Every structure is written in C-alpha cells, then in structure tokens.
Amino acid sequence: MMGGRAIAEYQFAPFFLANPSPLLTLIATRPHTQNYSIPAVFRFPCGYNPQSNKYHQTDPTTYLAKPLGIKIVVPSTPGDAKGLMKSAIRDPDAV
C-alpha cells in the first residue's frame, strides 16, 4: 500500500464482530506465517453508553486478546487517547 496506514473506525464495537474472520485471519497471522506485517488501526468505543441501545454495548476485546499479532490499547483519558492513537499509527503491526 505504498507505505500508507489503514485506519478503520467503527461506530459501535459490535459492528467489528459482524465479520472479524478476514481481519483476524489475514492481518493478525501475517507476521507469524509470512514474516511481514500489515499496519492497521481499528478504533471503536466499547463499554456502556447510556445513549445507545442494549445491542451496541458488548465488548469485543476478549475476542481480540486471543489472536496473535493484534495489540489492544485502552486509554483512560483524552490525552492518553491521543498519545495511544499516534503510537498505534506508527506501530508496524495491527493495533
């Protein structure tokens, strides 16, 4: 991709769980099977949100903790979110 970084933002975390198989199969296993990584950042809110309905409040981080090659970061403040996003974009692996 000519050195570009893929950044995907999901409105709700369960939207990522609709079809994670290609993402987890291709992006997460590439560094271990073919010795190159695919830099990508997936960003989504997770946890309780009183303005969304009950179907948009699941947390997919337990599914993402298992595959190899995906790093999970959870900021606690807006400053942390900015710093972690900048670090995630610079990271050569999927975050």
Side-chain angles (χ1 to χ4, degrees):
M1 290 185 18
M2 307 300 291
R5 303 279 192 225
I7 302 172
E9 183 166 355
Y10 295 90
Q11 184 176 5
F12 298 105
F15 293 168
F16 180 80
L17 294 176
N19 194 9
S21 181
L23 297 173
L24 298 179
T25 302
L26 296 174
I27 293 175
T29 59
R30 263 328 145 195
H32 304 286
T33 59
Q34 297 186 3
N35 294 328
Y36 72 89
S37 63
I38 300 173
V41 177
F42 303 102
R43 182 175 180 236
F44 48 81
C46 57
Y48 176 72
N49 182 1
Q51 297 172 345
S52 67
N53 64 19
K54 62 182 177 181
Y55 300 109
H56 292 158
Q57 296 178 6
T58 57
D59 188 3
T61 55
T62 56
Y63 297 109
L64 298 175
K66 297 263 181 185
L68 300 173
I70 292 185
K71 299 174 184 172
I72 300 172
V73 293
V74 180
S76 60
T77 65
D80 287 347
K82 179 183 177 186
L84 287 173
M85 188 67 173
K86 289 170 88 174
S87 298
I89 292 170
R90 293 181 186 136
D91 198 304
D93 294 324
V95 179

